[in-house]
Amino acid sequence: MSESRLYGAVAEFQTPEDLLEAARAMRQRGFTHMDACTPFPVHGINEALGIRRSPLGWLALVAGCAGCAGALLLQWWTGAVSYPLAIGGKPLFAFEPSIPITFEATVLLAAFATVAGMLALNGLPRLYHPLFQHQRFQRVTDDAFALVVEASDPKFHATETPALLRNLGAADAQLVEEGD
Amino acid sequence: MHDVNQAKESYYLDAGAWSRGWRLLLAGAAAGWAASLYGWATDAYDFHGSYLVNYLFFLSLAWGALFFVMIQHVTTAAWSVALRRLMENAMATMPAMTLLFLPVALGLNTLYEWAKPGFLNAHDPNMRFKAIFFSQPFYLIRSGIYLAVWSVLAIALYRNSVAQDAGGSVDGAARARRWSAPGLLALTATVTMAGVDWVMSLDPHWYSTIFGVYVFSGGALAFLAALTLAALGLQRLGMLRRAITVEHYHDLGKWMFGLTVWWAYIGFSQYMLIWYANLPEETTFYHARFASYWSWVSAGLLLGHFVVPFVLLMPRAAKRSRKVLGLAAAWLLIMHGMDLHWLVMPSVHPHAFHIQWLDVATFVAVGSSFGLAFWHRLRRNALAPVGDARLAESLAHHNA
């Protein structure tokens, strides 16, 4: 355990307001590799931590467009090029009957990309996280609001950062190791 | 310390602004009705056609409001509470809309081919069943039932909500929820039937089982657009400045986006089945609408009522911009008018694309009457349900 690398510092706050204030203060001091763990969604925490909007919407859009184009191409190629069959006096390819398949494929691929993209962007599934080492971490599912400063942050310092967090009102600030 | 002016919210319209609006609407009603009456006296057929389009336009806002209010109640939605009184004011125009149905009823013999003597005796095998429906007394009784159902629901829900303003009890919310669940069933059944009776029967030979839903979907979308514009307008007048936030507009934008897709989905469902079956008695509807200039209106609807708002409202930033959202809402209302025109006019004037001055005159007449019924409610009552227990939650609403 002792030679394990440092993951970061975890500071525990009692209210969402304290957490927001501390997050803003840390960001003003130039910290960028931060995260918050809270029992419920805290409005404004993304802005306070400087977390940018997820690119997930763009993933869904690209996948949806691919599904749309793919379905149209498939129906046109199979129906009018590869194996043309005139049925009921209908054209070999027309937009009208192709729309349901196109619509479904658009939705399907967009949904797949959204779920898969959400998992990938979150780094899930993941069975272990260094924060599990922290003794009091379970409380963030109950009544504590944790601010995590990762050791990868250029501004991170093993003794000064926890002290700073305590100065900002943290009830408790501890270091957490990677512990692999 | 809170600044007093910041903390105080204007939940009431000031008397000056109210009177200015009231006088403007009165003038509009006087001019609109005078012109409409003149049009009716000179060409009753043209009058009834235009009147039906514009009556449906404002009626669909009222039933859209009723639909949306009941949706908020059955889902116990909190986000929309700050906006709910605006919806309720639109919904409470229902008794006035019942009165405004009179010219439609009076135009029965003029506008509807099936109401003309001798029509039902014509040799059309499809008419045997339809003859039951195509009887004038039965049509009027049905119409009366629809309007009565909507008026009773609207007034009951409105009174219940206003009674809550004094505060204190949460019983009102439970009562509204109990009314709304059966109310939604009654509303959807009657609105779809009204669509069939008042619009589809203009072409008595043609039928489409999804037609009523199509009329309903367009109205629901138009109401969301009108609600967005009403909220933007009142905020510009200085009301509800802090109550309605960008988060509420964001949700209104999501609803408009979703209902745009719903409208297109229903419209396409009807079109595709008719295209595929290609039966002469079914294709007549599109035949008339793909001929001459009407084909441009049809293409315009596909583009303007679906593609443009779909792309415009997709980005998050667009839904959070008052300018873009206001523009989209105004555009969608114009498209709704065009949609109703496209539904009614090719049956009334089958041979040519038809725009007439009576379209404007009846729009002003019905619109200002609808406006008066709406505006009248703003005089005394608060602009938001100030006694609702969930108002605070709505004011703090935040999209993830």
Side-chain angles (χ1 to χ4, degrees):
Chain A
M1 278 303 253
S2 54
E3 65 260 47
S4 174
R5 282 181 303 116
L6 212 53
Y7 171 73
V10 181
E12 192 182 307
F13 294 89
Q14 247 118 42
T15 68
E17 289 78 22
D18 291 347
L19 174 76
L20 278 170
E21 210 169 299
R24 281 190 205 107
M26 291 297 280
R27 214 168 116 66
Q28 243 168 18
R29 284 173 170 78
F31 286 89
T32 47
H33 297 198
M34 293 191 292
D35 202 356
C37 304
T38 59
F40 52 79
V42 173
H43 295 320
I45 193 71
N46 285 3
E47 291 78 5
L49 291 173
I51 294 173
R52 274 174 305 168
R53 284 196 59 75
S54 157
L56 194 57
W58 291 104
L59 265 174
L61 181 71
V62 170
C65 290
C68 176
L72 278 176
L73 273 174
L74 179 72
Q75 289 172 95
W76 163 76
W77 184 76
T78 51
V81 179
S82 165
Y83 204 87
L85 266 182
I87 299 166
K90 295 281 184 290
L92 293 173
F93 175 80
F95 278 100
E96 284 88 349
S98 308
I99 295 291
I101 305 288
T102 309
F103 171 78
E104 298 299 344
T106 306
V107 173
L108 187 72
L109 259 71
F112 278 165
T114 307
V115 175
M118 181 275 291
L119 291 174
L121 290 170
N122 279 319
L124 294 172
R126 180 174 185 180
L127 299 176
Y128 171 78
H129 195 281
L131 285 175
F132 294 166
Q133 301 250 319
H134 185 38
Q135 294 296 315
R136 296 160 65 95
F137 190 69
Q138 287 167 10
R139 290 194 51 195
V140 303
T141 62
D142 180 17
D143 62 350
F145 301 82
L147 185 65
V148 182
V149 184
E150 286 162 28
S152 58
D153 195 302
K155 288 240 162 192
F156 186 84
H157 190 280
T159 49
E160 279 170 22
T161 305
L164 175 62
L165 285 164
R166 259 185 230 106
N167 271 344
L168 290 170
D172 174 68
Q174 290 181 21
L175 293 174
V176 175
E177 293 177 336
E178 287 276 6
D180 41 5
Chain B
M1 283 294 281
H2 277 288
D3 184 80
V4 177
N5 290 321
Q6 266 202 341
K8 205 175 123 201
E9 170 63 289
S10 349
Y11 283 120
Y12 293 88
L13 199 60
D14 71 275
W18 186 86
S19 307
R20 276 196 299 282
W22 185 255
R23 278 199 297 273
L24 189 73
L25 287 166
L26 274 180
W33 280 109
S36 299
L37 273 177
Y38 171 75
W40 174 72
T42 47
D43 192 338
Y45 189 75
D46 278 351
F47 164 78
H48 285 299
S50 293
Y51 188 88
L52 182 64
V53 172
N54 289 309
Y55 176 69
L56 287 169
F57 184 87
F58 289 100
L59 180 70
S60 62
L61 300 184
W63 74 37
L66 186 53
F67 169 65
F68 205 62
V69 165
M70 291 196 287
I71 289 276
Q72 306 314 307
H73 284 310
V74 289
T75 56
T76 60
W79 74 270
S80 58
V81 172
L83 293 160
R84 209 184 65 219
R85 184 55 52 79
L86 284 180
M87 312 174 198
E88 287 166 345
N89 288 326
M91 153 189 105
T93 59
M94 221 30 125
M97 294 318 286
T98 303
L99 201 64
L100 290 171
F101 181 72
L102 271 180
V104 180
L106 290 173
L108 204 51
N109 287 309
T110 319
L111 203 60
Y112 294 86
E113 197 189 342
W114 57 261
K116 284 169 188 151
F119 176 80
L120 293 173
N121 301 330
H123 47 278
D124 183 342
N126 277 328
M127 282 300 145
R128 248 174 256 139
F129 169 70
K130 286 187 177 182
I132 306 168
F133 263 65
F134 287 155
S135 95
Q136 293 201 30
F138 190 29
Y139 170 96
L140 292 173
I141 290 170
R142 284 200 308 274
S143 302
I145 292 173
Y146 311 149
L147 291 160
V149 166
W150 304 336
S151 295
V152 167
L153 281 172
I155 293 307
L157 286 167
Y158 188 82
R159 288 213 179 125
N160 184 57
S161 176
V162 170
Q164 269 188 300
D165 283 4
S169 163
V170 291
D171 293 348
R175 203 160 36 239
R177 199 163 56 243
R178 272 200 304 277
W179 270 87
S180 295
L184 274 171
L185 283 175
L187 179 80
T188 41
T190 46
V191 166
T192 48
M193 282 186 72
V196 169
D197 275 348
W198 299 345
V199 190
M200 198 171 97
S201 81
L202 283 167
D203 186 349
H205 300 279
W206 184 73
Y207 56 88
S208 161
T209 46
I210 207 171
F211 189 84
V213 186
Y214 179 80
V215 175
F216 192 8
S217 67
L221 173 58
F223 167 68
L224 260 296
L227 177 61
T228 305
L229 286 183
L232 287 168
L234 276 180
Q235 285 201 305
R236 184 167 276 205
L237 285 176
M239 312 293 125
L240 304 173
R241 276 267 161 87
R242 289 163 59 79
I244 303 174
T245 67
V246 69
E247 305 295 335
H248 296 112
Y249 285 117
H250 189 179
D251 278 359
L252 288 175
K254 290 180 205 165
W255 265 98
M256 277 197 276
F257 178 77
L259 291 177
T260 297
V261 178
W262 185 42
W263 173 88
Y265 190 97
I266 302 298
F268 178 74
S269 299
Q270 173 176 290
Y271 174 64
M272 190 197 74
L273 288 185
I274 291 177
W275 182 91
Y276 212 92
N278 205 15
L279 299 171
E281 67 266 35
E282 289 183 355
T283 50
T284 49
F285 179 84
Y286 289 107
H287 212 258
R289 282 155 187 82
F290 289 165
S292 70
Y293 285 111
W294 283 115
S295 62
W296 291 98
V297 183
S298 303
L301 276 177
L302 173 64
L303 195 70
H305 205 310
F306 174 64
V307 179
V308 168
F310 180 78
V311 175
L312 187 65
L313 287 171
M314 199 176 328
R316 175 185 160 99
K319 292 187 278 268
R320 292 176 79 85
S321 149
R322 282 172 163 80
K323 265 197 197 120
V324 178
L325 205 63
L327 192 75
W331 175 259
L332 279 170
L333 275 180
I334 296 170
M335 284 301 117
H336 181 53
M338 193 162 116
D339 186 26
L340 290 172
H341 191 84
W342 177 84
L343 281 181
V344 171
M345 283 305 176
S347 304
V348 180
H349 296 279
H351 303 297
F353 180 64
H354 200 85
I355 287 187
Q356 52 192 5
W357 67 271
L358 267 166
D359 292 337
V360 181
T362 53
F363 179 84
V364 175
V366 183
S368 44
S369 308
F370 174 86
L372 284 170
F374 176 81
W375 202 249
H376 151 78
R377 303 276 178 187
L378 303 186
R379 185 160 61 154
R380 277 204 205 93
N381 296 329
L383 296 171
V386 288
D388 195 297
R390 282 164 305 172
L391 182 60
E393 201 180 338
S394 177
L395 297 180
H397 174 59
H398 197 288
N399 279 293

